[in-house]
Amino acid sequence: MKMYLPANLDVVALLKEHPPTEIVNFKRDRLIYIISLVISIPAFNKDLITKNGYTPINAAMLQKKFRNYDKYINYLLSYNILITDNHCINGKKSRGYKYSNLYENTGIKPITILDKQLIKAIKTNNEISEAKAKKYNHLLKWYNHNLKIDYDIAMAFLEADLNRKLLNPSLRDLDKDGKPKDPHLQHKCALHNLEMIKVGFFNLSIDDNVKRFHSTISNFRSMLRNCISFGGRKLLSIDIKNSQPYISTVLLNESFWKEVKKGENCTNFNINLFYDKYFKNIFNNTNNKLSSFVTLVNNHIKQAGSDLHRYKTLVQQGKFYAYLGEEFTKILGLDYTDKKYLKPIVFQVFFTHNKFLHQND
């Protein structure tokens, strides 16, 4: 299994100059694994690439791999391979680490680890269960030797992109707080994913919380997906505008709530498909009457010109976020014209428990 480290870090020379005598049963591959996490974690979650360049590394996750992980981290800190923000909040933020200045502004290189126990622990953490593999086979089946990337073009783009951002900071991408991302870490993460795709390792996983499917490609720089092909054929990207609000409108269609009689063919989503599994508990727990909601949806006179009707129209036209941004700006006097600031607000309304409003936060 390959890990990726800063290109100018010579692990053999490091261990020869500073023998890790204080680490009982020291294993080189464990040290390499920790060093590689500074790149691999944000490479798989680009939201973790921030202005300060620190990567949060979860201690509990490391301890599952090997108990004395802290000894390895202390070694790396002592000899200025890593530096830390030394800031953690229990249950909210893990302590952050990044490469010291000596290793920050370089490319990356692969290094092979052979520790069978460590490799097994890493694979177990990333494995998709047989049940999930069957359920998501329509996606998983495409991740094979036919999926290729034009390595040279992608590499040339990444090098030019880094130089542009270093020469002109206004071109840097912004994190979720609107601050410019660290271009060196962003570059390393993109290189990491490029190398992974090149060797055919796609790091597939399914989020148990929101059921989203993740892979090296879904976390890859969007522009660089133009370099990817399948069986020699170019790929196309299709995006659904305001997709979550759009999907929600199925609940506002009369056909969804129509009862399909036995023997009839169903061409639309309807309550018979979902009611027992999902909606029964929702309506019972919130003391809502299903009949009242169905009446509202069915009453076209009440819907006409209403907020409900306006919502459906804006969503179906793909103009929901633009409209919302204009209204926020007009009523609140705040600039919410950028969709990336609006989406978290909309998602909070969609997916947060109603009791959230009564919390101190």
Side-chain angles (χ1 to χ4, degrees), residues 192-211:
H192 177 276
N193 287 337
L194 173 60
E195 296 289 347
M196 298 278 271
I197 295 171
K198 180 184 177 183
V199 299
F201 185 78
F202 301 112
N203 204 13
L204 310 176
S205 70
I206 297 157
D207 188 327
D208 288 327
N209 183 30
V210 298
K211 310 303 179 186

Side-chain angles (χ1 to χ4, degrees), residues 249-263:
T249 60
V250 72
L251 298 172
L252 307 179
N253 289 329
E254 184 180 356
S255 60
F256 180 87
W257 304 96
K258 273 188 176 179
E259 185 176 353
V260 178
K261 294 179 181 179
K262 192 173 182 179

Side-chain angles (χ1 to χ4, degrees), residues 44-108:
F44 199 62
N45 184 353
K46 54 191 176 186
D47 287 340
L48 296 178
I49 304 175
T50 58
K51 181 180 181 180
N52 60 28
Y54 285 100
T55 296
I57 299 180
N58 186 274
M61 178 274 293
L62 274 179
Q63 193 168 41
K64 289 180 182 178
K65 304 290 190 302
F66 43 94
R67 289 181 176 275
N68 63 338
Y69 72 92
D70 54 326
K71 304 293 185 184
Y72 289 83
I73 289 179
N74 289 337
Y75 174 87
L76 294 169
L77 292 172
S78 297
Y79 296 109
N80 203 33
I81 309 300
L82 300 182
I83 58 177
T84 178
D85 62 4
N86 211 27
H87 177 57
C88 64
I89 303 173
N90 191 28
K92 290 187 177 181
K93 181 196 176 298
S94 299
R95 187 171 279 107
Y97 299 90
K98 69 177 181 178
Y99 300 123
S100 64
N101 291 337
L102 183 60
Y103 307 105
E104 185 179 30
N105 305 338
T106 68
I108 62 173

